[in-house]
Amino acid sequence: LGISANASRATLTVDRPALPAWLRRVELKDLRVGDSRVDLAFTRRLGESTAISLMKREGDVQVVIRQ
């Protein structure tokens, strides 16, 4: 999924997310970054691309998405 977190900087980075061909969707709920939480959804689109949605963010976390 390309996820990395830096709690001291309150940053969650998603770098070029990719789901395998056999997996259509993944949801991560209450992913903690320091004192913050996020919910993310990854959905495989037609072809090779994976879409990401930030469903919920609580706290001061910065979410960086690199496609």
PDB file of all heavy atoms in Angstrom, residues 3-14 31-38 54 57-65:
ATOM      1  N   ILE A   3       2.466   2.785   2.536  1.00  0.00           N
ATOM      2  CA  ILE A   3       2.214   3.652   3.685  1.00  0.00           C
ATOM      3  C   ILE A   3       3.451   3.768   4.561  1.00  0.00           C
ATOM      4  O   ILE A   3       4.083   2.765   4.886  1.00  0.00           O
ATOM      5  CB  ILE A   3       1.058   3.105   4.538  1.00  0.00           C
ATOM      6  CG1 ILE A   3      -0.221   3.064   3.724  1.00  0.00           C
ATOM      7  CG2 ILE A   3       0.859   3.938   5.795  1.00  0.00           C
ATOM      8  CD1 ILE A   3      -1.361   2.376   4.428  1.00  0.00           C
ATOM      9  N   SER A   4       3.765   5.008   4.969  1.00  0.00           N
ATOM     10  CA  SER A   4       4.798   5.229   5.982  1.00  0.00           C
ATOM     11  C   SER A   4       4.327   6.361   6.885  1.00  0.00           C
ATOM     12  O   SER A   4       3.618   7.267   6.448  1.00  0.00           O
ATOM     13  CB  SER A   4       6.150   5.546   5.346  1.00  0.00           C
ATOM     14  OG  SER A   4       6.075   6.725   4.586  1.00  0.00           O
ATOM     15  N   ALA A   5       4.699   6.278   8.152  1.00  0.00           N
ATOM     16  CA  ALA A   5       4.258   7.274   9.130  1.00  0.00           C
ATOM     17  C   ALA A   5       5.455   7.862   9.858  1.00  0.00           C
ATOM     18  O   ALA A   5       6.450   7.176  10.094  1.00  0.00           O
ATOM     19  CB  ALA A   5       3.300   6.637  10.121  1.00  0.00           C
ATOM     20  N   ASN A   6       5.330   9.137  10.213  1.00  0.00           N
ATOM     21  CA  ASN A   6       6.320   9.810  11.032  1.00  0.00           C
ATOM     22  C   ASN A   6       5.550  10.511  12.152  1.00  0.00           C
ATOM     23  O   ASN A   6       5.004  11.595  11.952  1.00  0.00           O
ATOM     24  CB  ASN A   6       7.120  10.811  10.198  1.00  0.00           C
ATOM     25  CG  ASN A   6       8.247  11.437  10.979  1.00  0.00           C
ATOM     26  OD1 ASN A   6       8.135  11.688  12.166  1.00  0.00           O
ATOM     27  ND2 ASN A   6       9.338  11.698  10.286  1.00  0.00           N
ATOM     28  N   ALA A   7       5.480   9.852  13.330  1.00  0.00           N
ATOM     29  CA  ALA A   7       4.680  10.375  14.434  1.00  0.00           C
ATOM     30  C   ALA A   7       5.214  11.705  14.949  1.00  0.00           C
ATOM     31  O   ALA A   7       4.434  12.602  15.286  1.00  0.00           O
ATOM     32  CB  ALA A   7       4.617   9.353  15.562  1.00  0.00           C
ATOM     33  N   SER A   8       6.535  11.874  14.997  1.00  0.00           N
ATOM     34  CA  SER A   8       7.099  13.118  15.524  1.00  0.00           C
ATOM     35  C   SER A   8       6.774  14.322  14.630  1.00  0.00           C
ATOM     36  O   SER A   8       6.708  15.442  15.108  1.00  0.00           O
ATOM     37  CB  SER A   8       8.606  12.993  15.721  1.00  0.00           C
ATOM     38  OG  SER A   8       9.256  12.795  14.486  1.00  0.00           O
ATOM     39  N   ARG A   9       6.551  14.087  13.356  1.00  0.00           N
ATOM     40  CA  ARG A   9       6.185  15.164  12.417  1.00  0.00           C
ATOM     41  C   ARG A   9       4.690  15.167  12.116  1.00  0.00           C
ATOM     42  O   ARG A   9       4.221  15.965  11.312  1.00  0.00           O
ATOM     43  CB  ARG A   9       6.949  15.020  11.112  1.00  0.00           C
ATOM     44  CG  ARG A   9       8.428  15.213  11.273  1.00  0.00           C
ATOM     45  CD  ARG A   9       9.109  15.044   9.961  1.00  0.00           C
ATOM     46  NE  ARG A   9       9.958  16.214   9.767  1.00  0.00           N
ATOM     47  CZ  ARG A   9      10.605  16.480   8.677  1.00  0.00           C
ATOM     48  NH1 ARG A   9      10.490  15.686   7.634  1.00  0.00           N
ATOM     49  NH2 ARG A   9      11.366  17.538   8.590  1.00  0.00           N
ATOM     50  N   ALA A  10       3.951  14.221  12.720  1.00  0.00           N
ATOM     51  CA  ALA A  10       2.504  14.088  12.506  1.00  0.00           C
ATOM     52  C   ALA A  10       2.176  13.994  11.018  1.00  0.00           C
ATOM     53  O   ALA A  10       1.305  14.687  10.502  1.00  0.00           O
ATOM     54  CB  ALA A  10       1.745  15.231  13.158  1.00  0.00           C
ATOM     55  N   THR A  11       2.906  13.103  10.325  1.00  0.00           N
ATOM     56  CA  THR A  11       2.730  12.945   8.884  1.00  0.00           C
ATOM     57  C   THR A  11       2.529  11.476   8.517  1.00  0.00           C
ATOM     58  O   THR A  11       3.256  10.606   8.987  1.00  0.00           O
ATOM     59  CB  THR A  11       3.957  13.478   8.122  1.00  0.00           C
ATOM     60  OG1 THR A  11       4.163  14.843   8.481  1.00  0.00           O
ATOM     61  CG2 THR A  11       3.768  13.385   6.627  1.00  0.00           C
ATOM     62  N   LEU A  12       1.537  11.233   7.681  1.00  0.00           N
ATOM     63  CA  LEU A  12       1.306   9.909   7.103  1.00  0.00           C
ATOM     64  C   LEU A  12       1.454  10.064   5.596  1.00  0.00           C
ATOM     65  O   LEU A  12       0.796  10.912   4.978  1.00  0.00           O
ATOM     66  CB  LEU A  12      -0.100   9.401   7.433  1.00  0.00           C
ATOM     67  CG  LEU A  12      -0.455   8.050   6.844  1.00  0.00           C
ATOM     68  CD1 LEU A  12       0.266   6.952   7.625  1.00  0.00           C
ATOM     69  CD2 LEU A  12      -1.945   7.823   6.870  1.00  0.00           C
ATOM     70  N   THR A  13       2.342   9.274   4.996  1.00  0.00           N
ATOM     71  CA  THR A  13       2.584   9.352   3.560  1.00  0.00           C
ATOM     72  C   THR A  13       2.125   8.061   2.893  1.00  0.00           C
ATOM     73  O   THR A  13       2.415   6.968   3.377  1.00  0.00           O
ATOM     74  CB  THR A  13       4.085   9.571   3.273  1.00  0.00           C
ATOM     75  OG1 THR A  13       4.504  10.776   3.933  1.00  0.00           O
ATOM     76  CG2 THR A  13       4.354   9.691   1.783  1.00  0.00           C
ATOM     77  N   VAL A  14       1.402   8.200   1.790  1.00  0.00           N
ATOM     78  CA  VAL A  14       1.015   7.070   0.953  1.00  0.00           C
ATOM     79  C   VAL A  14       1.691   7.301  -0.394  1.00  0.00           C
ATOM     80  O   VAL A  14       1.372   8.253  -1.101  1.00  0.00           O
ATOM     81  CB  VAL A  14      -0.512   6.961   0.794  1.00  0.00           C
ATOM     82  CG1 VAL A  14      -0.877   5.753  -0.047  1.00  0.00           C
ATOM     83  CG2 VAL A  14      -1.202   6.905   2.156  1.00  0.00           C
ATOM     84  N   LEU A  31      -6.170   4.068  11.993  1.00  0.00           N
ATOM     85  CA  LEU A  31      -4.723   3.998  11.844  1.00  0.00           C
ATOM     86  C   LEU A  31      -4.129   5.157  12.630  1.00  0.00           C
ATOM     87  O   LEU A  31      -4.422   6.317  12.361  1.00  0.00           O
ATOM     88  CB  LEU A  31      -4.354   4.080  10.362  1.00  0.00           C
ATOM     89  CG  LEU A  31      -2.890   3.926   9.984  1.00  0.00           C
ATOM     90  CD1 LEU A  31      -2.381   2.553  10.406  1.00  0.00           C
ATOM     91  CD2 LEU A  31      -2.721   4.109   8.487  1.00  0.00           C
ATOM     92  N   ARG A  32      -3.308   4.849  13.630  1.00  0.00           N
ATOM     93  CA  ARG A  32      -2.783   5.874  14.530  1.00  0.00           C
ATOM     94  C   ARG A  32      -1.439   6.412  14.052  1.00  0.00           C
ATOM     95  O   ARG A  32      -0.563   5.645  13.663  1.00  0.00           O
ATOM     96  CB  ARG A  32      -2.644   5.305  15.928  1.00  0.00           C
ATOM     97  CG  ARG A  32      -3.970   4.918  16.521  1.00  0.00           C
ATOM     98  CD  ARG A  32      -3.801   4.331  17.898  1.00  0.00           C
ATOM     99  NE  ARG A  32      -3.345   5.353  18.822  1.00  0.00           N
ATOM    100  CZ  ARG A  32      -4.116   5.986  19.683  1.00  0.00           C
ATOM    101  NH1 ARG A  32      -5.386   5.687  19.748  1.00  0.00           N
ATOM    102  NH2 ARG A  32      -3.622   6.887  20.491  1.00  0.00           N
ATOM    103  N   VAL A  33      -1.331   7.735  14.113  1.00  0.00           N
ATOM    104  CA  VAL A  33      -0.078   8.434  13.845  1.00  0.00           C
ATOM    105  C   VAL A  33       0.092   9.411  15.003  1.00  0.00           C
ATOM    106  O   VAL A  33      -0.563  10.446  15.042  1.00  0.00           O
ATOM    107  CB  VAL A  33      -0.095   9.186  12.498  1.00  0.00           C
ATOM    108  CG1 VAL A  33       1.235   9.885  12.256  1.00  0.00           C
ATOM    109  CG2 VAL A  33      -0.427   8.248  11.349  1.00  0.00           C
ATOM    110  N   GLY A  34       0.918   9.049  15.975  1.00  0.00           N
ATOM    111  CA  GLY A  34       1.019   9.847  17.190  1.00  0.00           C
ATOM    112  C   GLY A  34      -0.320   9.833  17.902  1.00  0.00           C
ATOM    113  O   GLY A  34      -0.906   8.783  18.141  1.00  0.00           O
ATOM    114  N   ASP A  35      -0.856  11.018  18.208  1.00  0.00           N
ATOM    115  CA  ASP A  35      -2.151  11.128  18.873  1.00  0.00           C
ATOM    116  C   ASP A  35      -3.311  11.243  17.886  1.00  0.00           C
ATOM    117  O   ASP A  35      -4.451  11.405  18.300  1.00  0.00           O
ATOM    118  CB  ASP A  35      -2.154  12.360  19.797  1.00  0.00           C
ATOM    119  CG  ASP A  35      -1.199  12.199  20.966  1.00  0.00           C
ATOM    120  OD1 ASP A  35      -0.961  11.040  21.380  1.00  0.00           O
ATOM    121  OD2 ASP A  35      -0.685  13.221  21.463  1.00  0.00           O
ATOM    122  N   SER A  36      -3.030  11.184  16.602  1.00  0.00           N
ATOM    123  CA  SER A  36      -4.054  11.337  15.568  1.00  0.00           C
ATOM    124  C   SER A  36      -4.470   9.982  15.016  1.00  0.00           C
ATOM    125  O   SER A  36      -3.787   8.976  15.208  1.00  0.00           O
ATOM    126  CB  SER A  36      -3.514  12.202  14.423  1.00  0.00           C
ATOM    127  OG  SER A  36      -3.118  13.469  14.897  1.00  0.00           O
ATOM    128  N   ARG A  37      -5.605   9.992  14.316  1.00  0.00           N
ATOM    129  CA  ARG A  37      -6.124   8.762  13.679  1.00  0.00           C
ATOM    130  C   ARG A  37      -6.664   9.091  12.291  1.00  0.00           C
ATOM    131  O   ARG A  37      -7.206  10.172  12.073  1.00  0.00           O
ATOM    132  CB  ARG A  37      -7.268   8.174  14.497  1.00  0.00           C
ATOM    133  CG  ARG A  37      -6.895   7.734  15.856  1.00  0.00           C
ATOM    134  CD  ARG A  37      -8.140   7.336  16.606  1.00  0.00           C
ATOM    135  NE  ARG A  37      -7.846   7.193  18.004  1.00  0.00           N
ATOM    136  CZ  ARG A  37      -8.206   6.162  18.735  1.00  0.00           C
ATOM    137  NH1 ARG A  37      -8.896   5.191  18.208  1.00  0.00           N
ATOM    138  NH2 ARG A  37      -7.905   6.110  20.012  1.00  0.00           N
ATOM    139  N   VAL A  38      -6.543   8.126  11.401  1.00  0.00           N
ATOM    140  CA  VAL A  38      -7.116   8.274  10.063  1.00  0.00           C
ATOM    141  C   VAL A  38      -7.764   6.968   9.625  1.00  0.00           C
ATOM    142  O   VAL A  38      -7.398   5.885  10.084  1.00  0.00           O
ATOM    143  CB  VAL A  38      -6.055   8.703   9.004  1.00  0.00           C
ATOM    144  CG1 VAL A  38      -5.491  10.066   9.298  1.00  0.00           C
ATOM    145  CG2 VAL A  38      -4.969   7.687   8.871  1.00  0.00           C
ATOM    146  N   LEU A  54      -9.410   9.354   1.675  1.00  0.00           N
ATOM    147  CA  LEU A  54      -9.266   9.675   3.090  1.00  0.00           C
ATOM    148  C   LEU A  54     -10.677   9.796   3.640  1.00  0.00           C
ATOM    149  O   LEU A  54     -11.378  10.759   3.370  1.00  0.00           O
ATOM    150  CB  LEU A  54      -8.482  10.982   3.260  1.00  0.00           C
ATOM    151  CG  LEU A  54      -8.324  11.512   4.677  1.00  0.00           C
ATOM    152  CD1 LEU A  54      -7.579  10.513   5.555  1.00  0.00           C
ATOM    153  CD2 LEU A  54      -7.618  12.842   4.657  1.00  0.00           C
ATOM    154  N   ARG A  57     -10.330  11.839   9.345  1.00  0.00           N
ATOM    155  CA  ARG A  57      -9.075  12.297   9.942  1.00  0.00           C
ATOM    156  C   ARG A  57      -9.402  12.971  11.265  1.00  0.00           C
ATOM    157  O   ARG A  57     -10.225  13.877  11.318  1.00  0.00           O
ATOM    158  CB  ARG A  57      -8.366  13.276   9.019  1.00  0.00           C
ATOM    159  CG  ARG A  57      -7.026  13.735   9.568  1.00  0.00           C
ATOM    160  CD  ARG A  57      -6.321  14.631   8.619  1.00  0.00           C
ATOM    161  NE  ARG A  57      -7.039  15.906   8.574  1.00  0.00           N
ATOM    162  CZ  ARG A  57      -6.632  16.956   7.910  1.00  0.00           C
ATOM    163  NH1 ARG A  57      -5.540  16.897   7.194  1.00  0.00           N
ATOM    164  NH2 ARG A  57      -7.316  18.072   7.911  1.00  0.00           N
ATOM    165  N   GLU A  58      -8.761  12.515  12.329  1.00  0.00           N
ATOM    166  CA  GLU A  58      -8.930  13.123  13.651  1.00  0.00           C
ATOM    167  C   GLU A  58      -7.558  13.543  14.147  1.00  0.00           C
ATOM    168  O   GLU A  58      -6.635  12.734  14.160  1.00  0.00           O
ATOM    169  CB  GLU A  58      -9.538  12.129  14.628  1.00  0.00           C
ATOM    170  CG  GLU A  58     -10.951  11.713  14.299  1.00  0.00           C
ATOM    171  CD  GLU A  58     -11.498  10.692  15.268  1.00  0.00           C
ATOM    172  OE1 GLU A  58     -10.752  10.221  16.157  1.00  0.00           O
ATOM    173  OE2 GLU A  58     -12.669  10.333  15.120  1.00  0.00           O
ATOM    174  N   GLY A  59      -7.431  14.806  14.548  1.00  0.00           N
ATOM    175  CA  GLY A  59      -6.157  15.300  15.041  1.00  0.00           C
ATOM    176  C   GLY A  59      -5.439  16.120  13.990  1.00  0.00           C
ATOM    177  O   GLY A  59      -5.990  16.491  12.967  1.00  0.00           O
ATOM    178  N   ASP A  60      -4.165  16.389  14.279  1.00  0.00           N
ATOM    179  CA  ASP A  60      -3.367  17.289  13.444  1.00  0.00           C
ATOM    180  C   ASP A  60      -2.502  16.581  12.410  1.00  0.00           C
ATOM    181  O   ASP A  60      -1.558  17.146  11.900  1.00  0.00           O
ATOM    182  CB  ASP A  60      -2.452  18.142  14.342  1.00  0.00           C
ATOM    183  CG  ASP A  60      -3.241  19.114  15.197  1.00  0.00           C
ATOM    184  OD1 ASP A  60      -4.333  19.522  14.764  1.00  0.00           O
ATOM    185  OD2 ASP A  60      -2.776  19.440  16.304  1.00  0.00           O
ATOM    186  N   VAL A  61      -2.792  15.343  12.096  1.00  0.00           N
ATOM    187  CA  VAL A  61      -1.976  14.592  11.155  1.00  0.00           C
ATOM    188  C   VAL A  61      -2.114  15.164   9.742  1.00  0.00           C
ATOM    189  O   VAL A  61      -3.217  15.545   9.321  1.00  0.00           O
ATOM    190  CB  VAL A  61      -2.339  13.089  11.181  1.00  0.00           C
ATOM    191  CG1 VAL A  61      -3.752  12.848  10.704  1.00  0.00           C
ATOM    192  CG2 VAL A  61      -1.341  12.280  10.374  1.00  0.00           C
ATOM    193  N   GLN A  62      -1.006  15.251   9.047  1.00  0.00           N
ATOM    194  CA  GLN A  62      -0.989  15.648   7.645  1.00  0.00           C
ATOM    195  C   GLN A  62      -0.896  14.381   6.809  1.00  0.00           C
ATOM    196  O   GLN A  62      -0.011  13.542   7.046  1.00  0.00           O
ATOM    197  CB  GLN A  62       0.193  16.555   7.342  1.00  0.00           C
ATOM    198  CG  GLN A  62       0.282  16.954   5.894  1.00  0.00           C
ATOM    199  CD  GLN A  62       1.526  17.771   5.593  1.00  0.00           C
ATOM    200  OE1 GLN A  62       2.402  17.944   6.411  1.00  0.00           O
ATOM    201  NE2 GLN A  62       1.588  18.271   4.374  1.00  0.00           N
ATOM    202  N   VAL A  63      -1.792  14.216   5.847  1.00  0.00           N
ATOM    203  CA  VAL A  63      -1.781  13.041   4.971  1.00  0.00           C
ATOM    204  C   VAL A  63      -1.279  13.485   3.603  1.00  0.00           C
ATOM    205  O   VAL A  63      -1.859  14.371   2.974  1.00  0.00           O
ATOM    206  CB  VAL A  63      -3.178  12.411   4.870  1.00  0.00           C
ATOM    207  CG1 VAL A  63      -3.154  11.213   3.932  1.00  0.00           C
ATOM    208  CG2 VAL A  63      -3.694  12.013   6.259  1.00  0.00           C
ATOM    209  N   VAL A  64      -0.181  12.851   3.170  1.00  0.00           N
ATOM    210  CA  VAL A  64       0.438  13.160   1.878  1.00  0.00           C
ATOM    211  C   VAL A  64       0.239  11.963   0.968  1.00  0.00           C
ATOM    212  O   VAL A  64       0.611  10.846   1.331  1.00  0.00           O
ATOM    213  CB  VAL A  64       1.945  13.460   2.041  1.00  0.00           C
ATOM    214  CG1 VAL A  64       2.592  13.726   0.687  1.00  0.00           C
ATOM    215  CG2 VAL A  64       2.171  14.623   2.999  1.00  0.00           C
ATOM    216  N   ILE A  65      -0.360  12.188  -0.194  1.00  0.00           N
ATOM    217  CA  ILE A  65      -0.613  11.101  -1.144  1.00  0.00           C
ATOM    218  C   ILE A  65       0.162  11.389  -2.421  1.00  0.00           C
ATOM    219  O   ILE A  65       0.006  12.450  -3.027  1.00  0.00           O
ATOM    220  CB  ILE A  65      -2.112  10.966  -1.454  1.00  0.00           C
ATOM    221  CG1 ILE A  65      -2.872  10.657  -0.158  1.00  0.00           C
ATOM    222  CG2 ILE A  65      -2.347   9.891  -2.506  1.00  0.00           C
ATOM    223  CD1 ILE A  65      -4.370  10.716  -0.303  1.00  0.00           C
TER     224      ILE A  65
END
